[in-house]
Amino acid sequence: MEARSQSPHAQVRNRRDPQRPHQPVRQAPPPGRPRRDPGRHHRRRGRGRPGTRRPLDHAPIHTTLQQAGAAPLTYGQDVSNYQPDHDWTASPAQFGIIKASEGTGFRDRAFARHWRELDKKGIVRGAYHYGHPGNDPIAEAEHFLSVVNSQPAKPGDLLVLDLETTDGRSVAEVNAWAKTWLAHVKAKTGATPIFYSGWNFADTYGKGLAEYPLWVAHYSRPKGAVSPPADWKTWTIHQYSDSPIDQNVSALTPDQLRSLGRPER
């Protein structure tokens, strides 16, 4: 969302905060700094990049439109503090997802404003957390919930884990970290969180996460024409471009997306 990859094979871009100084490509950027997305270059989603992105070349070529012949795909956008003044009123988006937090201490400075604007617009809205497997997953999940819960909530609000970096951890460790974070947020809110990442990252580290809806970043496939990685049988959201802003389509209708969010209390 924030930083974009310059590589033609970028799958997703990093979504870290832009305030922090740049670090070497293979180092996980500190919280609050621009990150890169995992699905774009790895992905773009208004982040900086925490690590090297994997090329999309080895992703399946036999991609097909998930809902060919079905209803039109639902269009959405996602932003972070890199787009603090994004005009949601003029946006054609039917859903909007915004960065809320990162690590164990970073709070996106534009979150509150975006959250209010999406409420006024009346479209599906969601908040995402940029995870760092080098930290305790429960501590990160609690930090995310503290930021999101500081703003008014309503049924249908989507909650998302954005995982694009390993912080030097193994495949098994990153996978276990994601499972713990996701299960904790689900237990605390009653909502099943969405898992976001670039196609290659999700294929490597996302096995066993198919119970969580998939938001996958893949820029070298037409919108809606991407095969789900790892154990997922379907994708829920496809991030297909980061120009001029992170752009997405969902295979679900707005009401179906809301059904994945916070339940009625």
Side-chain angles (χ1 to χ4, degrees), residues 112-127:
R113 184 247 170 199
H114 286 311
W115 201 244
R116 290 192 302 270
E117 291 301 307
L118 286 171
D119 186 44
K120 284 191 237 179
K121 188 174 179 67
I123 62 174
V124 181
R125 67 180 182 179

Side-chain angles (χ1 to χ4, degrees), residues 1-7 10-23 29 33-51 53 78-83 99 102 128 130 162 164 196 217 219 239 241-246:
M1 297 178 160
E2 299 159 8
R4 271 93 166 160
S5 171
Q6 299 303 311
S7 166
Q11 185 181 18
V12 132
R13 66 179 184 185
N14 193 309
R15 313 183 179 195
R16 305 205 56 173
D17 190 278
Q19 294 176 262
R20 295 265 170 74
H22 177 67
Q23 293 186 347
R33 128 187 191 117
R35 55 176 179 170
R36 312 183 175 190
D37 290 359
R40 303 185 173 191
H41 60 39
H42 207 143
R43 151 194 174 192
R44 83 17 338 44
R45 209 171 116 160
R47 315 152 182 175
R49 303 180 183 187
R53 302 182 176 185
D78 67 274
V79 301
S80 69
N81 53 53
Y82 275 99
Q83 303 88 21
K99 183 174 181 177
E102 178 174 338
Y128 76 85
Y130 188 87
D162 173 1
E164 312 173 31
Y196 167 94
Y219 297 162
Q239 184 181 81
S241 176
D242 63 356
S243 177
I245 193 174
D246 286 350

Side-chain angles (χ1 to χ4, degrees), residues 109-189:
R109 64 193 178 203
F111 175 66
R113 184 247 170 199
H114 286 311
W115 201 244
R116 290 192 302 270
E117 291 301 307
L118 286 171
D119 186 44
K120 284 191 237 179
K121 188 174 179 67
I123 62 174
V124 181
R125 67 180 182 179
Y128 76 85
H129 172 81
Y130 188 87
H132 284 279
N135 297 326
D136 177 66
I138 300 299
E140 288 216 4
E142 284 295 321
H143 173 54
F144 170 62
L145 292 175
S146 71
V147 174
V148 173
N149 291 336
S150 69
Q151 301 298 318
K154 63 183 180 182
D157 286 343
L158 304 175
L159 304 176
V160 183
L161 170 61
D162 173 1
L163 193 58
E164 312 173 31
T165 184
T166 67
D167 287 352
R169 298 320 196 249
S170 69
V171 171
E173 290 172 325
V174 172
N175 183 263
W177 190 97
K179 288 177 178 175
T180 299
W181 191 100
L182 292 163
H184 186 76
V185 170
K186 182 175 182 178
K188 286 283 189 173
T189 65

Side-chain angles (χ1 to χ4, degrees), residues 16-98:
R16 305 205 56 173
D17 190 278
Q19 294 176 262
R20 295 265 170 74
H22 177 67
Q23 293 186 347
V25 176
R26 288 199 176 275
Q27 287 185 309
R33 128 187 191 117
R35 55 176 179 170
R36 312 183 175 190
D37 290 359
R40 303 185 173 191
H41 60 39
H42 207 143
R43 151 194 174 192
R44 83 17 338 44
R45 209 171 116 160
R47 315 152 182 175
R49 303 180 183 187
T52 304
R53 302 182 176 185
R54 301 171 170 238
L56 302 178
D57 297 327
H58 62 273
I61 297 178
H62 55 282
T63 52
T64 56
L65 187 63
Q66 181 166 314
Q67 291 200 337
L73 297 169
T74 301
Y75 175 71
Q77 298 174 337
D78 67 274
V79 301
S80 69
N81 53 53
Y82 275 99
Q83 303 88 21
D85 302 315
H86 182 59
D87 187 353
W88 288 106
T89 301
S91 169
Q94 294 173 276
F95 68 90
I97 303 177
I98 56 183

